[in-house]
Amino acid sequence: MRTLYRNALLLTLSTAAISAALAGVPAQSVHAAGTALDWKPCAQPDGPAGQECAELSVPLDYREPDGKQVKLAVSRVRSDRPEARRGTLIVIPGGPGSPAVPRLTAKGKKLQGELKGAYDLVALDPRGLGGSDKAGCGLADEDREMVNLRPWPGRNGDISENVARGRRIADACARDGGPLVRSMSTANEVRDIERFRQALGEEKLSAFATSYGTYVAAQFAQKFPERTDRFVLDSNGDPDPSRVARGWAANMSRAMEDRFPDFARWAADPARGELRLARRAEDVRPMFLALADRLDRHPRPTTTPGKPLTGNRLRQALQQTLSGNDFTPLATLIKAKKPALPPHLAQPLPDEEVAVTIGTICNDVRWPGSVRAYARDVAADRARYPLTAGMPVGPFPCAFWKNAPADEPARVTADGPSNILMIQNLRDPSTPYFGALKMREALGQRARLVTVDRGGHGVYLGNGNACGDAAVTGYLVTGKRPAADAYCAG
C-alpha cells in the first residue's frame, strides 16, 4: 500500500512538491525562497586558500517554516580551475556529532588536488555544534567520557551502572536540551542540506559522505533523488530503518573480531621490538582478554590523576585504535607500567557534541526500553564476542529517551538514478563490511560497490589504497564507475 501511494505521488505531483512530500513535510516549508548567503573569508593556515564561511537560517521545525529559525555554519571552497568546474560537492562527515566545516578545512587541499577543479567544495555544520547554534544537555564531565557514554558493562556483565547513567543522560537532555536537541535527527539534517542546496542556487549536489554521513547521503538520495549528481558513500552502515544506530552499534561486536587479527599479526611481529606483545599472532587475543580481566579487578594507575587504566578503558582504546592503522599507541598503553591515556580516554567530550550524537540517534527511531532484555542481550553478546564485552548491545541513553521520533525513518530503496559509488574496507571495525552489503542490497541498481582489502575506518584519501582512491576520483571527475562491483587488493 505504501509503495502504491508513493507511485501515485510520483505521477501526480510537480518535481518540487515530490521532494517535499518524500521528506514528510509540506512542500512550501522546504523551500528557502529569498535566502542569501553572505560569504566572508575564513581561510585557515593549514586549509585551502580562499575558503569562505557564511550562516544559513533553517526552521527549527520544518512543519512551522515561518517559526523559530536555527543558524547553521556553512563553508565553501570555490573551484581553483573555473574552466573545469562542473558542479558543487558537499562534504558530509560522520558522527552524528562531527562538524563538517573543519573537515572541509582539513580535506580541502587534498580534494582540490584530486578533483582538478571539477567542483566547488561545500560543507554544513549540523545543527547544535561547530559554528552552528549550539545545543547541550548540561551533562557532568563523567557522563561525557567516551568510556561512559558507551555502555561498557561492569565486571561479569553487570549493567546497573549503564542503566543509571542512561536514565540520567536522558533526563538531562529532556530537561535542559530544549527544542534544539529535540529537533536533531537525520531527517532534519537531510532537510537542512536541501535548504543549503537551494541557497547555493545549485540544481543538484554531488557528495562525499563518510561513516554516519553515508546514511545521511542515502536518505537525501531517497528523498530528493532528482537533486543528486554524483554521490560517493565511504564506510557504510546497515540502513535498516527499524534499528538505525542501534543496529550500527550491535554490529561492532562481530566487526571487532573480524579486525583484531590485523592487530594480532602486527603485535607478534619481531620487528615490534619492545612493543612486541606475543611470540605468535594467535597468542595476542588471549593475552589481551586476560589483561582486560585483570584490569577489571585491579586497575593500573595512569599519568592522569583519578583515571586509572581499567578493563573498559583498555577495551575502548582497542576499538578506537582498530579504526585506524597505527597500532603503536595501543601497544604502548599495554606495555607501560604507568601509561599516559590518549585524549579520548582522558578528557570528556564537549557537551554540544554529546548532545548532537545522543539527540540524533535517539530521535531517529525508538529504542526498546526493557532493562531485563538488555541484560539478557549483553550476557549473550559478551560470551560470543568477548573483545567488546557486551557493550554494543547495551542500554544506551536512547533506551530511556523521553521524546518519540518526529519522523518515520525512510527505507533506502533502489528507486532513483544510478549515480552512487560505495567504497568499503573489508575489515572496518566501526561500519563493518557485512553492514555495508545491506546498504548495497538496498540501493540495488543505483549503486556500485568498490571493496578494498584493508582494515580500518575510512577509505578515500585516508588509507593509502591507490586503487580505491582512483575509483572514487575517476567517478567524481569523469562520471565513470565500474561496470560491476569491483575489488581492490590491499
Side-chain angles (χ1 to χ4, degrees):
M1 182 63 72
R2 185 175 297 175
T3 301
L4 291 174
Y5 178 64
R6 185 178 69 241
N7 289 341
L9 287 174
L10 293 172
L11 290 171
T12 58
L13 297 180
S14 70
T15 299
I18 291 170
S19 298
L22 290 175
V25 294
Q28 65 272 19
S29 68
V30 177
H31 294 300
T35 299
L37 295 172
D38 183 15
W39 295 106
K40 292 181 171 59
C42 63
Q44 300 298 308
D46 295 326
Q51 185 170 1
E52 300 173 293
C53 294
E55 286 187 340
L56 173 71
S57 291
V58 299
L60 176 69
D61 184 345
Y62 277 89
R63 291 167 179 80
E64 298 179 8
D66 298 322
K68 182 175 175 58
Q69 302 292 296
V70 177
K71 294 288 187 183
L72 304 183
V74 299
S75 186
R76 76 176 174 187
V77 178
R78 290 178 182 264
S79 167
D80 54 353
R81 305 180 200 178
E83 70 283 357
R85 183 187 180 276
R86 63 165 308 277
T88 293
L89 181 140
I90 185 168
V91 174
I92 308 176
S98 297
V101 172
R103 183 165 176 80
L104 177 59
T105 302
K107 287 281 190 180
K109 282 184 177 179
K110 191 173 283 190
L111 284 170
Q112 281 183 313
E114 285 289 318
L115 302 182
K116 300 176 176 60
Y119 298 93
D120 290 347
L121 308 174
V122 300
L124 174 151
D125 279 349
R127 52 178 70 194
L129 57 77
S132 299
D133 283 349
K134 295 289 195 301
C137 293
L139 301 177
D141 286 358
E142 182 184 9
D143 288 342
R144 289 186 279 110
E145 290 188 41
M146 178 68 79
V147 74
N148 293 330
L149 282 168
R150 291 186 170 176
W152 292 102
R155 191 181 172 208
N156 299 323
D158 177 35
I159 67 168
S160 57
E161 189 173 339
N162 307 136
V163 170
R165 179 171 286 108
R167 292 189 192 278
R168 185 164 64 245
I169 292 173
D171 287 345
C173 288
R175 182 182 64 247
D176 301 325
L180 187 51
V181 168
R182 290 195 292 274
S183 78
M184 291 168 183
S185 66
T186 300
N188 273 343
E189 184 166 352
V190 166
R191 293 168 182 141
D192 292 345
I193 290 173
E194 170 60 7
R195 272 292 182 100
F196 188 27
R197 179 198 66 77
Q198 293 169 14
L200 289 166
E202 295 289 340
E203 181 181 351
K204 297 181 178 183
L205 289 177
S206 291
F208 167 40
T210 54
S211 194
Y212 162 72
T214 65
Y215 182 66
V216 175
Q219 288 287 311
F220 185 92
Q222 187 67 32
K223 295 177 180 179
F224 303 106
E226 77 286 356
R227 299 304 184 189
T228 62
D229 188 6
R230 297 173 185 171
F231 267 44
V232 172
L233 277 55
D234 181 339
S235 305
N236 301 258
D238 182 348
D240 181 354
S242 68
R243 291 168 62 81
V244 194
R246 185 164 64 94
W248 305 335
N251 283 347
M252 288 170 57
S253 300
R254 175 181 157 192
M256 286 284 286
E257 296 284 353
D258 291 344
R259 171 64 162 150
F260 191 85
D262 291 339
F263 171 66
R265 286 188 292 272
W266 179 93
D269 188 334
R272 302 286 82 80
E274 293 183 356
L275 292 180
R276 189 182 187 192
L277 300 180
R279 295 183 63 84
R280 302 180 306 167
E282 56 265 36
D283 295 331
V284 176
R285 189 173 185 275
M287 178 280 300
F288 182 89
L289 293 173
L291 175 59
D293 181 66
R294 287 198 304 274
L295 292 173
D296 282 338
R297 292 178 280 116
H298 305 291
R300 184 184 299 174
T302 72
T303 58
T304 304
K307 293 184 180 178
L309 180 61
T310 62
N312 282 339
R313 280 199 171 95
L314 180 65
R315 295 179 184 102
Q316 181 61 48
L318 175 69
Q319 198 279 325
Q320 296 287 120
T321 298
L322 296 191
S323 289
N325 287 292
D326 181 5
F327 300 148
T328 300
L330 178 60
T332 302
L333 188 72
I334 289 172
K335 282 283 192 175
K337 292 182 179 179
K338 189 175 183 179
L341 295 177
H344 72 268
L345 293 179
Q347 302 168 5
L349 295 171
D351 192 52
E352 62 267 21
E353 290 185 14
V354 175
V356 173
T357 299
I358 298 298
T360 302
I361 67 174
C362 298
N363 288 331
D364 268 2
V365 67
R366 187 180 292 280
W367 291 45
S370 169
V371 172
R372 181 176 297 179
Y374 282 109
R376 181 185 64 242
D377 291 345
V378 165
D381 204 64
R382 67 187 279 111
R384 186 175 185 186
Y385 303 111
L387 286 174
T388 46
M391 178 278 291
V393 298
F396 285 76
C398 303
F400 314 104
W401 203 244
K402 308 301 180 184
N403 305 307
D407 297 279
E408 189 76 18
R411 182 174 294 279
V412 175
T413 74
D415 298 333
S418 184
N419 61 358
I420 297 171
L421 179 67
M422 298 172 58
I423 188 164
Q424 188 77 27
N425 284 328
L426 264 178
R427 298 177 302 283
D428 184 328
S430 299
T431 54
Y433 189 69
F434 58 85
L437 291 179
K438 296 291 188 181
M439 178 73 87
R440 175 68 185 90
E441 180 182 10
L443 289 169
Q445 58 80 30
R446 300 184 69 181
R448 301 290 185 273
L449 170 63
V450 175
T451 297
V452 178
D453 191 1
R454 284 283 181 92
H457 185 54
V459 187
Y460 183 54
L461 305 182
N463 72 359
N465 185 272
C467 170
D469 289 350
V472 173
T473 297
Y475 175 52
L476 289 175
V477 174
T478 70
K480 294 180 181 179
R481 294 180 307 177
D485 291 352
Y487 172 83
C488 287

